[in-house]
Amino acid sequence: MNEIQTKQHSEVFVVAQIVGYFGVKGFLKVFPLTHSPERLSKLATVKIGLTFDSACEQEIENIEFHHRTIIVKLKGIDDRTNAEQFIHNYIFIQKDELVKPPKGSWF
């Protein structure tokens, strides 16, 4: 890995993992790996993959919060069969998309 790749990887964060599908219309069950899961509702696109290198950019169509699970609908993923390909993948964001920590705390 060269210096540019190392810098790119140090500026990427995993904020959630896709753990299953929800219903038959392409919705995904997402488990947050962050203290601020509401951050996802502010994003229009995310990178999804098993690793950042294999991740593809996906457009978020809708997000609903259900207790400790998040239900996400990706644009163009309209049935359960297409949704299944994302199970076990991670949702990555860039460093500049992080929520700033409250004063007196840090990540």
Side-chain angles (χ1 to χ4, degrees):
M1 189 178 305
N2 65 34
E3 186 177 324
I4 293 171
Q5 288 174 319
T6 303
K7 181 174 172 45
Q8 289 173 341
H9 284 259
S10 68
E11 296 182 1
V12 175
F13 295 84
V14 174
V15 292
Q17 183 176 25
I18 299 169
V19 296
Y21 52 80
F22 183 81
V24 297
K25 295 185 179 181
F27 288 87
L28 298 165
K29 275 194 229 182
V30 174
F31 182 77
L33 301 173
T34 174
H35 293 344
S36 306
E38 64 279 354
R39 82 174 67 222
L40 294 174
S41 64
K42 295 178 173 106
L43 301 172
T45 61
V46 291
K47 296 249 269 169
I48 297 177
L50 289 173
T51 66
F52 180 72
D53 291 332
S54 68
C56 298
E57 191 166 278
Q58 297 290 326
E59 188 175 340
I60 296 174
E61 189 174 300
N62 188 38
I63 294 183
E64 297 176 19
F65 295 89
H66 294 275
H67 305 288
R68 291 178 12 174
T69 303
I70 303 167
I71 306 300
V72 175
K73 174 70 172 70
L74 299 175
K75 188 170 186 168
I77 307 301
D78 298 318
D79 59 46
R80 184 169 75 183
T81 302
N82 285 326
E84 287 176 345
Q85 68 182 311
F86 295 101
I87 296 174
H88 304 299
N89 282 252
Y90 295 98
I91 297 177
F92 298 91
I93 64 169
Q94 298 291 330
K95 183 177 183 177
D96 61 350
E97 297 172 308
L98 287 173
V99 173
K100 302 278 188 243
K103 189 174 180 175
S105 63
W106 60 92
F107 294 121

